[in-house]
Amino acid sequence: GHKTIKAKGSVGYRYFNMGYAEPVTQGYDTCPPWAPLFGYAGAASCVILANWGSAWGTWKAGLGVCSMGVNYSKGVIKNIVPIVMAGGLGIYG
């Protein structure tokens, strides 16, 4: 069988079944069937736009570092920070 854990809560004891996940059914009767579409579309657009912005920022910062390397080659390492920040936007965005 499955292991059951008894936990003390604010309204007495609650039993948690350990071993399988139970489906979440709260709110299904009040939400329209098309509501998850907006949630998934929002999450997808967030990922797409964050990574597009990261790529664009890396491109623009890379062009700036390259043009600065031609004019003033000693400052290239100091000005790599925008490229690193644009990469961080892609990872954590």
Side-chain angles (χ1 to χ4, degrees), residues 1 12 16-19 22 28-32 37 42-43 50 55 76 83-84 87 89:
F16 298 101
N17 290 324
M18 304 300 288
E22 294 185 14
Y28 279 168
D29 53 345
T30 59
C31 288
L37 172 70
V76 171
I83 297 173
V84 174
L89 174 67

Side-chain angles (χ1 to χ4, degrees), residues 33-47:
W34 45 264
L37 172 70
F38 290 105
Y40 288 121
S45 65
C46 176
V47 170

